[in-house]
Amino acid sequence: MIAPRQSFQDLPHIPEQVRQFVYQTLCETNQLEPGVFPMQESYFFRKGAPCAALFCLHGPRLMKVMAIWDLEKHEVLFYNAAGERYLLVRAPIGSQSLIEPSENTAHP
């Protein structure tokens, strides 16, 4: 059964600190100039409740790179243009460090 669409006011707020961290990391690791390319945001749902936020940065020549913020684990997974995960870090929320790699961090 398809659940009714959730209203925008019920969606969790994405902290600006997380948004900026994701954007900067995607730009730096893909050698893109910050502020030039747009980034879209959307949500994944599990049993009708949001469980993750998807960030998609649109680069030159139809290139897309993505990051997924797991709302429950507070981890951000980064994916390159080929769809391969290359980085897993703790989300920068509150007083946490901006870059705090987890045990399963993979490098390009």
Side-chain angles (χ1 to χ4, degrees):
M1 175 191 286
I2 297 175
R5 210 174 177 125
Q6 195 167 9
S7 70
F8 289 115
Q9 59 195 6
D10 296 337
L11 293 176
H13 172 70
I14 297 174
E16 191 60 30
Q17 187 177 15
V18 172
R19 181 179 287 114
Q20 288 300 318
F21 170 71
V22 168
Y23 187 78
Q24 289 294 329
T25 303
L26 287 172
C27 286
E28 287 175 15
T29 57
N30 292 283
Q31 300 176 353
L32 300 173
E33 186 175 340
V36 174
F37 302 102
M39 184 172 72
Q40 293 178 322
E41 301 169 7
S42 56
Y43 290 94
F44 289 120
F45 293 86
R46 181 181 302 130
K47 297 182 181 179
C51 62
L54 171 69
F55 301 91
C56 182
L57 182 69
H58 299 269
R61 296 176 296 282
L62 301 177
M63 180 188 89
K64 291 182 185 177
V65 290
M66 294 180 245
I68 298 174
W69 175 31
D70 184 325
L71 298 172
E72 296 169 357
K73 295 180 182 178
H74 300 291
E75 295 176 338
V76 183
L77 299 95
F78 290 89
Y79 295 87
N80 63 21
E84 301 165 334
R85 185 173 75 193
Y86 66 89
L87 183 63
L88 171 66
V89 297
R90 296 282 300 162
I93 300 173
S95 62
Q96 293 180 351
S97 170
L98 279 182
I99 299 181
E100 191 178 306
S102 71
E103 298 172 13
N104 299 328
T105 301
H107 296 282

